[in-house]
Amino acid sequence: MDREHISKDKTILLRQKYIGPSCKLFFKSDPIKIVRASGQYMFSETGERYLDCINNVAHVGHCHPKVVEAGNKQAALLNTNSRFLHDNLVLYAERLAALFPDPLKVLFMVNSGSEANDLALRLAQAHTKQKDVIVLDHAYHGHVMSLIDISPYKFNHLGPDAKPDWVHVASVPDRYRGKYRDTEHSLDELSTLYAQDVEDQIQNIRSSGKGISCFISESLQSCGGQIITPPGYLREVYKHVRNSGGLCIADEVQVGFGRVGSHWWAFQLAGEDVVPDIVTIGKPMGNGHPVAAVVTTYEIAKSFAGLGVEYFNTYGGNPVSCAIANAVIDVIETENLRENATKVGNYLLSRFTILMTKYQLIGDVRGVGMFIGIELVKDRSTKEPATAEAKHAITRAKQEKVLLSVDGPNENVIKFKPPMVFSLEDADHLVNILDRIFGEIDDSRQVEKLTEKELIKRINGASMS
Amino acid sequence: MDREHISKDKTILLRQKYIGPSCKLFFKSDPIKIVRASGQYMFSETGERYLDCINNVAHVGHCHPKVVEAGNKQAALLNTNSRFLHDNLVLYAERLAALFPDPLKVLFMVNSGSEANDLALRLAQAHTKQKDVIVLDHAYHGHVMSLIDISPYKFNHLGPDAKPDWVHVASVPDRYRGKYRDTEHSLDELSTLYAQDVEDQIQNIRSSGKGISCFISESLQSCGGQIITPPGYLREVYKHVRNSGGLCIADEVQVGFGRVGSHWWAFQLAGEDVVPDIVTIGKPMGNGHPVAAVVTTYEIAKSFAGLGVEYFNTYGGNPVSCAIANAVIDVIETENLRENATKVGNYLLSRFTILMTKYQLIGDVRGVGMFIGIELVKDRSTKEPATAEAKHAITRAKQEKVLLSVDGPNENVIKFKPPMVFSLEDADHLVNILDRIFGEIDDSRQVEKLTEKELIKRINGASMS
């Protein structure tokens, strides 16, 4: 349907009545109704066009015709489970394996990043015969129970007892706001210091007589605030983890499939010799279709099979999911989207960095490819998070038909991870809009000394204009 | 692709090389390659037509054109997450809610039955603030870690310590082979006795000072061997569970959406006054597309929201999944598939029952609608499971181009849960084939007294002819 069936008010009413209230809307006091989308643009029921700067699932562009066609053709022909032989599954597996370094060659296909990370944990625990897991602070790995358990981003909000005793939290290697900072240390030192933090956790676990199943981290932390991992970090961490007998899991659900531009996978930013034992992939994999996967080594897959329990996933690896996933790789390659990510990403980073010279509000600009964070602060020396300002900025951007959102533990990081077809023109438009909005905020703060309450009032006034 | 891309041998080779060995093929020594499917038929790469008697996912028939069209149209228009308003989600929620009794009106949409059952557990634990769960023996509720924990079908194979101490296993209400049997008790007595088994678990939990979060069961146990729950059972169990402060979860992932014919949901077989607190649905919901859901009460959804943690599911409730799920309900209604399930199911039950008079091999025939089990035994008095014979029967059926499989803890129950378009002609064909196969087996056994080894040899000989 290219139009509404019911009025927006009715949609909101039915949603309140029938959908679990834990499922949140963007801009919940004035949510957006979207009826169609194409490329990096989404269109409301009134025909307004929004520039999508945040949807890392619609990776090759919303409703890419080649991806849609591949899925549609296969859906009309066959869509069944992987207990039957089908070429789509094995040809996709072969193609995907070629995008990973040895020995990452064995695939398990599932329906979501959550299913992938859950299975990754099972693989690690089966292979090592250990349970304990080391995670990074603020990490988010998925919504099923096993992953809430290892996601400080979630369990930090569930009370002091929410962290299980087999989960161990290491500091996130955040050079700007973390335990160690780039104002005091070189990037190399940061890598070593933060890796030592993981090693300290390992020693804690060992001293209590337990072993380590795995270390899991997003290769670039997303929900935690668009953190750019110091280049040497994973190499050192993986060394520590392996010395302790643990496995290394790279969660590439949000950042994989070329988002970083220079490589297919963000862990590859650490160097060719840095290879995880297990990689999970998802969101961009099906451009919106529910498909995800675990990629691992033959040895680990064999340990898992050694449990003697079949792994059956009803839809995992069905011919439609594989046709769609295959078309996504086609488009990334034929439309040179990794090259585009590098070009547009670098351009944006340079323009955002120039904005930093204009606005004290911007505490940090960081990113790689189409993965960028702009961290807002009230004061550059204290780094007090500008949470209200960040919220205001995205609300104002929405009025300008630019979709952004905030993330990070202080909700003060504006995140940018758009469809990979985002263009230089889109980048200019985005920066110009943010320039105006940051100007409004900085003006309103610098003319007078305002209390936070007054600022919010002022901001709300501005957003009415 | 309506044909092979690579030879079957190559498909097998690539599968061995690239797909996790825990992912099993049907008939692994001679697997089937399927390239297209329509209705209740699947077609191999050489054009052979198989009658599908087991795929409860392709609910309204493989590749139903109306379902395919609904998905394809929406995929070309918009496929994004539920943080934006969209009519497909709320209209589907409204329509689905109308198929459930009060107060089951609040929906959470997810991607798989596993995600649904995992969320159901989270809801129950959030609402009751208790952790302990009562499950039925041989139950299977999904492949993620939290569900392996509550699935004896899985954890029974993982060693003696695999059952967590917060999981409590009650006897499955199997009137044929269970703890209490219909040879000694009326159906009413069986309901009461098996419900008392759950009550005993409740008392165990309470006596150790703990509370109960929930009782979860498939309304008809599937993997456990196509068990038909005694009609009064759920009413009594739900009463016990609620008296203890626990919630009642009906897992309808395999048996929902009208498979039982007379009702939309199998729990409704227990009577109009028997209403679970949480229902999970999946497999048939999207006819092969990955979509599933949790349906619950507003009170429980509110308790979950009270945790203060958002529930976000990347693909859950996206416009494509909802369009497909909506079309599935359309087809069930317009093609009167529930009526067909009753008609064909009853016909099959009567014909299978007649087969019982011919073959001692058939120990039990049970079913409702398009959910039927034929339990094979070596001896009707001892009920010794005829596991090898069951395996042989499905292998022979495969040679006759009829797809069946076995289930149950003894792998001796031939299961029947086909696409709901299965016709009377298909039913006749199926029964005639099984008649012939059972005849071969019974003949080979009754002429001489054979050891199991000799029998298998004989059987293998027959299957070559």
Side-chain angles (χ1 to χ4, degrees):
Chain A
M1 73 187 176
D2 193 352
R3 47 174 185 82
E4 300 186 287
H5 281 290
I6 52 179
S7 71
K8 184 171 174 178
D9 286 349
K10 180 94 191 282
T11 310
I12 293 172
L13 261 171
L14 290 180
R15 176 139 178 157
Q16 284 165 346
K17 189 168 177 188
Y18 292 115
I19 302 298
S22 309
C23 305
K24 303 292 189 196
L25 286 163
F26 277 134
F27 310 110
K28 66 178 169 187
S29 61
D30 181 25
I32 304 172
K33 187 168 183 175
I34 296 292
V35 297
R36 70 183 178 88
S38 176
Q40 61 275 52
Y41 305 111
M42 305 183 86
F43 299 87
S44 75
E45 82 286 5
T46 55
E48 288 172 315
R49 189 184 89 169
Y50 289 85
L51 176 61
D52 181 357
C53 304
I54 48 176
N55 196 323
N56 59 342
V57 174
H59 193 62
V60 300
H62 288 276
C63 304
H64 193 291
K66 287 197 176 147
V67 177
V68 170
E69 191 196 359
N72 289 3
K73 269 191 172 170
Q74 185 58 53
L77 208 51
L78 177 67
N79 188 15
T80 192
N81 66 59
S82 66
R83 280 178 174 146
F84 299 98
L85 291 169
H86 197 276
D87 292 343
N88 285 11
L89 171 60
V90 299
L91 291 174
Y92 182 72
E94 182 180 41
R95 186 175 190 183
L96 192 71
L99 301 180
F100 282 93
D102 278 327
L104 292 168
K105 296 296 170 191
V106 178
L107 185 68
F108 292 85
M109 285 190 69
V110 299
N111 307 302
S112 66
S114 289
E115 287 190 359
N117 280 331
D118 182 275
L119 177 57
L121 283 189
R122 286 182 71 198
L123 291 169
Q125 293 181 346
H127 187 71
T128 60
K129 299 190 174 62
Q130 301 293 338
K131 180 160 189 186
D132 287 52
V133 176
I134 300 173
V135 299
L136 295 184
D137 204 7
H138 313 307
Y140 175 63
H141 295 294
H143 57 70
V144 299
M145 293 173 89
S146 61
L147 303 177
I148 304 284
D149 276 349
I150 64 161
S151 295
Y153 178 78
K154 291 283 176 187
F155 71 60
N156 281 345
H157 301 279
L158 289 170
D161 303 328
K163 185 185 82 58
D165 57 10
W166 51 272
V167 176
H168 310 271
V169 181
S171 302
V172 59
D174 175 354
R175 60 161 184 75
Y176 177 71
R177 186 182 288 285
K179 189 171 174 180
Y180 310 107
R181 300 182 177 185
D182 60 6
T183 42
E184 286 141 43
H185 300 284
S186 70
L187 281 176
D188 279 352
E189 285 170 357
L190 288 175
S191 292
T192 303
L193 287 164
Y194 279 116
Q196 184 58 41
D197 203 76
V198 173
E199 173 64 10
D200 291 347
Q201 292 297 331
I202 292 172
Q203 292 312 323
N204 281 345
I205 298 167
R206 288 185 138 182
S207 67
S208 67
K210 297 194 293 180
I212 289 113
S213 73
C214 62
F215 165 83
I216 179 170
S217 72
E218 285 188 281
S219 305
L220 304 168
Q221 199 177 65
S222 305
C223 297
Q226 304 283 106
I227 305 298
I228 305 302
T229 315
Y233 175 74
L234 286 182
R235 175 180 289 112
E236 295 200 43
V237 169
Y238 285 9
K239 214 171 285 172
H240 292 318
V241 172
R242 283 171 177 150
N243 282 341
S244 78
L247 297 182
C248 302
I249 304 178
D251 177 342
E252 296 263 341
V253 171
Q254 298 216 42
V255 296
F257 284 99
R259 177 158 298 279
V260 299
S262 56
H263 300 83
W264 275 93
W265 317 107
F267 72 79
Q268 294 175 307
L269 295 170
E272 278 189 17
D273 56 323
V274 179
V275 181
D277 302 295
I278 303 174
V279 180
T280 56
I281 55 180
K283 292 184 193 285
M285 186 173 174
N287 214 47
H289 179 85
V291 59
V294 178
V295 183
T296 190
T297 69
Y298 184 71
E299 287 307 310
I300 293 170
K302 214 172 76 179
S303 295
F304 187 58
L307 294 178
V309 175
E310 179 186 0
Y311 180 77
F312 177 65
N313 187 306
T314 300
Y315 319 104
N318 72 68
V320 174
S321 296
C322 293
I324 288 171
N326 190 55
V328 168
I329 295 182
D330 276 345
V331 176
I332 295 171
E333 288 179 345
T334 58
E335 298 188 6
N336 301 311
L337 294 182
R338 281 173 48 211
E339 290 75 2
N340 190 59
T342 299
K343 182 180 70 179
V344 177
N346 285 341
Y347 178 70
L348 268 171
L349 279 175
S350 68
R351 287 215 55 191
F352 285 142
T353 307
I354 293 167
L355 279 195
M356 266 189 91
T357 65
K358 285 176 77 175
Y359 305 112
Q360 293 290 311
L361 178 69
I362 304 178
D364 191 34
V365 169
R366 54 186 177 247
V368 53
M370 292 273 194
F371 180 89
I372 294 175
I374 304 171
E375 180 149 2
L376 303 189
V377 293
K378 286 183 192 295
D379 181 311
R380 284 190 181 173
S381 56
T382 66
K383 299 190 177 176
E384 186 186 345
T387 304
E389 290 83 349
K391 191 178 176 190
H392 169 69
I394 63 161
T395 306
R396 277 287 292 119
K398 175 201 168 205
Q399 292 170 343
E400 304 291 342
K401 315 293 176 234
V402 171
L403 296 174
L404 287 165
S405 71
V406 292
D407 234 322
N410 302 298
E411 293 176 38
N412 68 324
V413 180
I414 295 179
K415 71 178 173 194
F416 173 79
K417 41 186 180 179
M420 300 264 286
V421 291
F422 207 84
S423 69
L424 288 174
E425 293 69 34
D426 299 321
D428 274 328
H429 183 61
L430 167 64
V431 176
N432 293 340
I433 294 288
L434 283 178
D435 193 356
R436 192 189 315 161
I437 293 170
F438 292 155
E440 291 165 9
I441 298 173
D442 247 15
D443 279 355
S444 66
R445 203 169 54 181
Q446 284 175 353
V447 178
E448 314 148 80
K449 285 282 179 205
L450 294 171
T451 63
E452 182 157 285
K453 205 169 165 188
E454 287 165 332
L455 176 66
I456 291 169
K457 201 172 161 194
R458 178 72 58 95
I459 282 168
N460 287 339
S463 70
M464 292 299 146
S465 64
Chain B
M1 75 185 176
D2 192 356
R3 46 175 186 81
E4 298 185 287
H5 281 290
I6 52 178
S7 71
K8 185 171 174 178
D9 285 348
K10 181 93 191 280
T11 310
I12 293 172
L13 260 173
L14 290 180
R15 177 143 175 152
Q16 285 166 345
K17 187 167 177 188
Y18 292 115
I19 302 298
S22 309
C23 305
K24 303 292 189 196
L25 286 163
F26 277 134
F27 309 109
K28 66 180 170 186
S29 61
D30 182 25
I32 304 172
K33 186 168 183 175
I34 296 292
V35 297
R36 70 182 177 91
S38 176
Q40 61 275 51
Y41 305 111
M42 305 183 85
F43 299 87
S44 75
E45 82 287 4
T46 54
E48 288 171 314
R49 190 183 88 168
Y50 288 87
L51 176 62
D52 181 357
C53 303
I54 48 174
N55 197 324
N56 59 342
V57 174
H59 193 61
V60 300
H62 287 277
C63 304
H64 194 291
K66 286 196 176 149
V67 177
V68 170
E69 191 197 359
N72 289 4
K73 270 192 171 171
Q74 185 60 52
L77 209 51
L78 177 68
N79 188 14
T80 193
N81 66 60
S82 67
R83 282 178 172 145
F84 299 97
L85 292 169
H86 198 277
D87 292 344
N88 284 12
L89 171 60
V90 299
L91 291 174
Y92 182 72
E94 183 180 41
R95 185 175 191 182
L96 192 71
L99 300 180
F100 282 93
D102 278 327
L104 292 168
K105 297 295 170 194
V106 178
L107 184 69
F108 291 85
M109 285 187 71
V110 299
N111 307 305
S112 67
S114 290
E115 287 191 358
N117 279 331
D118 181 274
L119 177 57
L121 283 189
R122 287 182 71 196
L123 290 169
Q125 294 182 346
H127 187 71
T128 60
K129 299 190 174 62
Q130 300 294 338
K131 179 159 189 184
D132 286 52
V133 175
I134 300 172
V135 298
L136 295 183
D137 204 7
H138 312 307
Y140 175 62
H141 294 294
H143 57 70
V144 298
M145 292 172 89
S146 61
L147 303 176
I148 304 284
D149 277 349
I150 64 162
S151 294
Y153 178 77
K154 289 285 176 184
F155 71 61
N156 281 346
H157 302 279
L158 288 170
D161 302 327
K163 185 184 82 58
D165 57 9
W166 51 272
V167 175
H168 309 272
V169 181
S171 301
V172 59
D174 174 354
R175 60 162 184 75
Y176 177 71
R177 186 183 288 282
K179 188 171 173 180
Y180 308 108
R181 300 182 176 186
D182 60 6
T183 41
E184 286 140 42
H185 300 285
S186 70
L187 281 177
D188 279 352
E189 286 169 356
L190 288 176
S191 292
T192 303
L193 287 165
Y194 279 115
Q196 183 59 41
D197 203 76
V198 173
E199 173 65 9
D200 291 346
Q201 292 296 332
I202 292 172
Q203 291 313 323
N204 282 346
I205 298 167
R206 288 185 136 181
S207 67
S208 67
K210 297 194 290 179
I212 289 113
S213 72
C214 63
F215 165 83
I216 180 169
S217 72
E218 284 189 281
S219 305
L220 304 168
Q221 198 175 68
S222 305
C223 297
Q226 304 283 105
I227 305 298
I228 305 302
T229 315
Y233 175 74
L234 285 182
R235 175 182 288 111
E236 295 199 44
V237 169
Y238 284 9
K239 215 172 283 171
H240 293 318
V241 172
R242 283 170 178 149
N243 282 342
S244 78
L247 297 182
C248 302
I249 303 178
D251 177 342
E252 296 263 342
V253 170
Q254 298 217 41
V255 296
F257 284 98
R259 177 158 297 281
V260 299
S262 56
H263 299 84
W264 276 92
W265 316 108
F267 71 79
Q268 293 176 306
L269 295 169
E272 279 189 17
D273 57 324
V274 178
V275 181
D277 302 294
I278 302 174
V279 181
T280 55
I281 57 181
K283 291 183 192 288
M285 186 172 175
N287 213 49
H289 179 85
V291 59
V294 178
V295 184
T296 190
T297 70
Y298 184 70
E299 288 307 311
I300 293 169
K302 215 172 74 178
S303 295
F304 186 57
L307 294 179
V309 174
E310 179 186 359
Y311 180 77
F312 177 65
N313 187 304
T314 300
Y315 319 103
N318 72 68
V320 174
S321 296
C322 294
I324 288 171
N326 191 55
V328 168
I329 295 182
D330 275 346
V331 176
I332 295 172
E333 288 179 344
T334 57
E335 298 188 6
N336 301 312
L337 294 183
R338 282 173 47 210
E339 291 74 1
N340 190 59
T342 299
K343 182 180 71 181
V344 177
N346 286 342
Y347 177 71
L348 268 171
L349 279 175
S350 69
R351 285 213 57 191
F352 285 141
T353 307
I354 292 167
L355 279 196
M356 267 189 90
T357 64
K358 284 177 76 174
Y359 304 111
Q360 294 290 311
L361 179 69
I362 304 178
D364 190 34
V365 169
R366 53 187 177 249
V368 52
M370 292 274 194
F371 180 90
I372 294 175
I374 304 171
E375 180 150 1
L376 303 188
V377 293
K378 287 183 192 293
D379 182 311
R380 282 190 183 172
S381 56
T382 66
K383 298 190 179 175
E384 186 186 347
T387 305
E389 291 82 350
K391 190 176 175 193
H392 169 68
I394 63 162
T395 306
R396 278 286 292 119
K398 174 202 168 204
Q399 292 170 342
E400 303 291 341
K401 314 294 173 232
V402 171
L403 296 174
L404 286 165
S405 72
V406 293
D407 234 325
N410 302 300
E411 294 175 36
N412 68 324
V413 180
I414 295 179
K415 71 179 173 193
F416 174 78
K417 39 186 182 179
M420 299 264 287
V421 291
F422 207 85
S423 70
L424 289 174
E425 293 69 32
D426 298 322
D428 274 329
H429 183 61
L430 167 64
V431 177
N432 294 341
I433 294 287
L434 284 179
D435 193 355
R436 192 189 315 163
I437 294 171
F438 291 156
E440 292 165 7
I441 298 174
D442 247 15
D443 279 354
S444 65
R445 202 167 56 183
Q446 285 177 352
V447 177
E448 314 148 78
K449 285 283 178 204
L450 294 171
T451 63
E452 182 160 285
K453 206 169 164 188
E454 287 165 331
L455 177 65
I456 290 170
K457 200 173 163 194
R458 178 71 57 97
I459 282 167
N460 287 338
S463 70
M464 293 298 145
S465 63

